C-alpha cells in the first residue's frame, strides 16, 4: 500500500534534519504541484515543531530528574547552544530565530529554532511566530532552489 503523495510529503517534512528540505522536493517528485508540496511540507514541519516545542520543557525536566546521564547531556547541550547563539540573540533578538530557520541547511530547522527561543526565555507564541515565518521563507527558498536545479537540468540534458 502506497501513501498518497500529500501524506508522504507531510510525514517526511515532520522528520527533524531532513524536514522540508527533502519533503517539498520529494512531494514535487511524486507529482504534486509546487504549491501543494509547499503547503503539505510546511504544515507537517510546523505541526511537528509545535508539538516538539510544547513537549520540550516537560520531557527535559522529566528525564533530567530521573537520570544523571540525561541531566548532564541536557546541561551540556543547552550550554553549547546558548554559547553558540547568544551573540546573535543579543544582536538581532527573536528575528535571529526566523533567519536561522529560514536558511535551509542541516542543523538550522524549525525545531532547533524553537529550542533556541526556549533556551533564551522567549515566549512560546513569539518563538513559534518567528519559527513559522522562518519555515515559510525556507520553503520559498527550497522552491526557488529546486526550480533553479530543475531549469539547469533541462538546459544541460534536454
Amino acid at each position: 500500500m502506497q501513501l498518497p503523495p500529500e501524506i508522504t510529503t507531510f510525514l517526511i517534512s515532520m522528520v527533524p534534519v531532513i524536514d522540508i528540505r527533502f519533503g517539498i522536493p520529494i512531494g514535487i517528485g511524486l507529482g504534486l504541484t509546487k504549491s501543494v508540496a509547499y503547503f503539505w511540507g510546511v504544515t507537517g514541519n510546523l505541526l511537528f515543531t509545535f508539538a516538539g516545542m510544547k513537549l520540550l520543557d516537560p520531557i527535559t525536566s522529566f528525564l533530567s530528574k530521573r537520570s544523571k546521564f540525561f541531566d548532564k547531556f541536557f546541561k551540556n547541550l543547552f550550554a553549547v547552544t546558548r554559547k553558540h547563539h547568544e551573540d546573535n540573540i543579543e544582536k538581532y533578538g527573536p528575528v535571529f530565530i526566523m533567519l536561522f530557520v529560514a536558511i535551509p541547511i542541516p542543523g538550522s530547522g524549525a525545531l532547533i529554532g524553537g529550542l533556541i527561543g526556549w533556551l533564551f526565555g522567549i515566549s512560546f507564541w513569539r518563538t513559534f511566530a518567528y519559527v513559522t515565518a522562518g519555515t515559510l521563507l525556507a520553503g520559498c527558498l527550497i522552491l526557488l532552489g529546486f526550480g533553479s536545479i530543475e531549469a539547469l537540468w533541462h538546459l544541460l540534458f534536454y
Side-chain angles (χ1 to χ4, degrees):
M1 182 179 118
Q2 187 172 343
L3 293 173
E6 295 86 355
I7 301 301
T8 302
T9 302
F10 180 86
L11 293 174
I12 289 170
S13 297
M14 292 177 82
V15 179
V17 180
I18 65 169
D19 54 52
I20 61 173
R21 291 164 190 81
F22 287 89
I24 290 173
I26 288 172
I28 293 168
L30 291 173
L32 297 178
T33 65
K34 290 179 181 178
S35 59
V36 172
Y38 177 86
F39 172 80
W40 286 106
V42 167
T43 303
N45 189 248
L46 288 176
L47 180 67
F48 181 79
T49 300
F50 180 85
M53 286 174 60
K54 279 295 199 184
L55 295 172
L56 190 60
D57 192 42
I59 288 173
T60 57
S61 295
F62 176 84
L63 292 173
S64 293
K65 288 177 186 175
R66 285 162 180 75
S67 166
K68 289 181 182 183
F69 168 79
F70 280 114
D71 186 47
K72 184 177 179 179
F73 172 78
F74 288 132
K75 283 180 181 173
N76 289 336
L77 175 66
F78 298 162
V80 167
T81 303
R82 280 189 187 103
K83 182 179 178 184
H84 189 71
H85 297 293
E86 68 187 335
D87 291 342
N88 288 320
I89 287 288
E90 286 178 21
K91 187 173 182 179
Y92 302 107
V95 172
F96 168 72
I97 294 170
M98 180 186 70
L99 297 173
F100 178 81
V101 173
I103 301 169
I105 59 173
S108 68
L111 192 58
I112 302 299
L115 171 66
I116 292 169
W118 177 72
L119 287 175
F120 285 95
I122 301 168
S123 75
F124 174 86
W125 288 110
R126 190 167 184 202
T127 298
F128 190 70
Y130 281 100
V131 165
T132 299
T135 302
L136 293 170
L137 286 171
C140 290
L141 291 173
I142 290 164
L143 287 177
L144 288 171
F146 185 77
S148 299
I149 292 168
E150 188 177 40
L152 182 61
W153 181 266
H154 285 289
L155 181 68
L156 293 174
F157 298 106
Y158 289 102

